[in-house]
Amino acid sequence: MVGSYANGAGKNGAAEGKLDELRRRLGKAEGDPLRIAGVGAGAWGSVFCALLQDAYGRDHRDKAQVRVWRRPGRAVDRATAEHLFEVINAREAVLRRLIRRCAYLKYVEARLGDRTLYADEILRDGFCLNMIDTPLCPLKVVTNLQEAVWDADIVINGLPSTETREVFGEIGRYWKERINPPIIISLAKGIEASLDPMPRIITPTQMIANATGVPLENILYLGGPNIASEIYNKEYANARICGSEKWRKPLSKFLRQPHFIVWDNSDLITHEVMGGLKNIYAIGAGMVAALTNESATSKAVYFSLCTSEMIYITHLLAEEPERLSGPLLADTYVTLLKGRNAWYGHKLAKAELTLEMGDSIKGKGTIQGVSAVNAFYELLSQGSISVTHPETKKHVAPVELCPILKTLYKILIKRELGTSSILEAIRDESMSDPRERIEMAQRQSLYRPSLLGLPKGDIKL
């Protein structure tokens, strides 16, 4: 099947061996399948579940079951239905599969306008609404959230960070009677900022822990240089799963596939924060690319400046943050290069989208960098967490040392500036060498534990 991960381990038993090992760790009895539930069906959430379905759910149904929850009722518009029909007919294997499943006729009818298709319906056939051009394997789709998660052993959070708290709050009610907490792998990239009673960040893994009562050692974050469609089409990729040693090592082994290498790392905070930051700066990268006619020099200048801001910010949030290298750097690079946030910035600069259209875009989903701009700006503009300015030696809010973040806030949130202001920010003649910002972050004691502090009643890290 084109675009599908064949379970090459089916012949040599490697996949079954990995599955059996994880089942033993979870205490699964013979005849009781490992239940994996995806929550949210955006591009990466859908692809991630499809990878697991291809690797384990298809050839080992008695030992593993994969299902995906998405909200019902999202209609597919006529133009998308017509494009989907073209995609189907351009891929013989997909066409034959749909004919074999007696599912082809509805796509013909939708193309002609005689039928309305729905997002959950087409996902069952392997089509993600946010990624129509990349057919996936057929998936079991559940539109009832309780049915999807109540007995799941592993839950994949494929929701935007802006929806994570609400949905997992509902899930928490279904899990009140559970004896053994599930493992949760969060793919969400973004943060919330809370200013009362003290400025602090709340990451998606913290949101999930607070909402469900699942201990943080059971909640992990997976991130890396992953453009969803390319990974499903077997482009070689790597990622890191971050969290407690108890689960990150066995899960890295379980998730690893020939074209998708997963390493493990203990620094959950840095990776989650970087996951949110990269989306912010990717919007700016798209603007720079559009405004300079894809100038490689301008994009490189922007990359050096924005990564120095990212490093500076992580030193405020982690005592010894993971260096911006390896998959962490690669994730930043690919997001600035090709992700949906960069696409959004590019479209804004070209005036093909407007801010009034919001941050939920047809065919792309939620542009998470917009809310992240607001969250990080609010957090880092608080005088109570002031730092020493390297030149004036005065106490200033940390955001004063992040000119790109400030500019993006004025463009996207306050709407005081046009997109061209991003070029002014990176061409400022008074701009310091980005190396100085990095050295200052490493030299000064910037770490502010209070930024990770949780108010009474929240679950501590």
Side-chain angles (χ1 to χ4, degrees):
M1 181 189 303
V2 175
S4 172
Y5 272 87
N7 184 9
K11 295 182 179 179
N12 58 29
E16 188 170 15
K18 290 193 294 182
L19 177 57
D20 288 342
E21 182 177 340
L22 187 61
R23 284 171 51 82
R24 283 193 295 270
R25 283 182 175 270
L26 289 166
K28 300 295 293 184
E30 188 72 26
D32 183 16
L34 177 70
R35 295 177 175 87
I36 301 171
V39 175
W44 183 215
S46 297
V47 163
F48 197 81
C49 289
L51 295 180
L52 294 174
Q53 173 65 17
D54 281 337
Y56 300 111
R58 185 177 61 196
D59 294 335
H60 307 289
R61 296 178 186 176
D62 57 327
K63 294 184 177 183
Q65 296 177 358
V66 180
R67 55 184 181 253
V68 182
W69 171 80
R70 75 153 294 141
R71 294 182 178 89
R74 175 74 181 274
V76 178
D77 61 52
R78 176 78 178 274
T80 303
E82 291 175 351
H83 180 57
L84 180 54
F85 185 76
E86 294 173 359
V87 170
I88 291 168
N89 283 279
R91 292 163 173 79
E92 184 178 353
V94 175
L95 176 61
R96 289 182 179 277
R97 185 186 78 201
L98 291 173
I99 293 173
R100 198 165 53 244
R101 292 162 58 95
C102 300
Y104 180 64
L105 182 59
K106 64 186 177 187
Y107 293 99
V108 176
E109 293 172 341
R111 175 182 177 270
L112 297 172
D114 297 332
R115 174 176 178 155
T116 299
L117 295 170
Y118 291 91
D120 57 289
E121 177 184 18
I122 66 173
L123 187 59
R124 291 185 178 93
D125 292 328
F127 303 106
C128 171
L129 188 58
N130 292 345
M131 198 177 61
I132 291 296
D133 290 313
T134 305
L136 309 175
C137 63
L139 291 165
K140 180 179 180 180
V141 179
V142 179
T143 55
N144 181 292
L145 184 58
Q146 183 174 9
E147 178 186 348
V149 303
W150 74 275
D151 63 345
D153 301 297
I154 299 175
V155 174
I156 311 300
N157 175 30
L159 296 164
S161 59
T162 49
E163 297 179 19
T164 294
R165 182 188 296 278
E166 177 186 354
V167 174
F168 275 86
E170 184 176 345
I171 290 172
R173 295 194 291 273
Y174 305 142
W175 285 348
K176 284 186 180 298
E177 307 302 321
R178 282 191 69 141
I179 297 173
N180 298 316
I183 296 169
I184 301 171
I185 301 173
S186 180
L187 310 178
K189 298 174 174 68
I191 69 157
E192 287 182 358
S194 178
L195 306 181
D196 184 36
M198 59 185 178
R200 70 194 189 280
I201 66 165
I202 306 173
T203 65
T205 57
Q206 290 174 318
M207 295 177 203
I208 293 168
N210 296 341
T212 63
V214 172
L216 272 170
E217 74 168 8
N218 277 44
I219 307 175
L220 303 99
Y221 166 76
L222 185 136
N226 36 52
I227 300 296
S229 60
E230 293 184 358
I231 289 179
Y232 200 74
N233 284 327
K234 293 189 178 182
E235 292 291 337
Y236 179 85
N238 50 52
R240 281 176 175 164
I241 187 162
C242 307
S244 69
E245 186 171 358
K246 177 181 179 181
W247 291 117
R248 72 174 191 263
K249 290 186 179 296
L251 284 171
S252 68
K253 185 176 181 180
F254 177 72
L255 297 173
R256 180 175 290 218
Q257 298 189 21
H259 299 278
F260 185 57
I261 306 303
V262 180
W263 297 304
D264 70 280
N265 191 281
S266 63
D267 193 347
L268 176 64
I269 290 297
T270 300
H271 284 79
E272 272 199 290
V273 168
M274 282 293 194
L277 284 173
K278 70 183 180 65
N279 287 334
I280 290 175
Y281 292 102
I283 296 177
M287 293 176 181
V288 170
L291 294 167
T292 64
N293 196 27
E294 302 293 337
S295 163
T297 300
S298 294
K299 289 191 287 186
V301 168
Y302 179 84
F303 184 78
S304 70
L305 294 171
C306 77
T307 51
S308 73
E309 286 191 18
M310 293 171 71
I311 293 169
Y312 174 78
I313 293 170
T314 57
H315 274 79
L316 289 164
L317 300 170
E319 189 168 12
E320 295 182 4
E322 179 78 17
R323 289 184 180 276
L324 187 58
S325 61
L328 202 57
L329 177 60
D331 192 12
T332 301
Y333 173 75
V334 76
T335 304
L336 268 60
L337 188 69
K338 193 176 178 180
R340 78 180 73 174
N341 290 276
W343 172 89
Y344 179 72
H346 196 282
K347 293 292 185 181
L348 285 177
K350 289 290 189 182
E352 295 172 9
L353 289 176
T354 66
L355 292 172
E356 287 70 26
M357 297 171 71
D359 59 2
S360 182
I361 307 298
K362 173 187 169 183
K364 290 291 182 179
T366 302
I367 308 300
Q368 298 188 68
V370 177
S371 63
V373 167
N374 192 43
F376 275 103
Y377 182 90
E378 285 192 344
L379 181 74
L380 300 178
S381 63
Q382 301 302 304
S384 60
I385 53 171
S386 64
V387 296
T388 303
H389 194 287
E391 295 176 0
T392 66
K393 306 303 179 185
K394 294 181 179 179
H395 291 291
V396 297
V399 77
E400 295 303 320
L401 299 177
C402 301
I404 295 177
L405 175 59
K406 284 182 64 178
T407 301
L408 288 170
Y409 178 78
K410 291 177 181 179
I411 294 171
L412 298 169
I413 308 302
K414 299 296 288 183
R415 303 184 183 182
E416 297 173 348
L417 302 175
T419 55
S420 62
S421 299
I422 195 69
L423 295 183
E424 296 174 22
I426 67 172
R427 293 171 178 173
D428 184 352
E429 291 184 13
S430 64
M431 179 82 71
S432 299
D433 186 329
R435 177 179 59 85
E436 294 178 14
R437 184 184 290 107
I438 295 172
E439 289 180 347
M440 180 184 67
Q442 295 169 340
R443 183 174 60 250
Q444 292 187 15
S445 179
L446 292 180
Y447 177 45
R448 299 291 188 272
S450 63
L451 292 177
L452 298 174
L454 301 172
K456 186 177 180 181
D458 279 2
I459 296 173
K460 299 275 187 184
L461 273 170

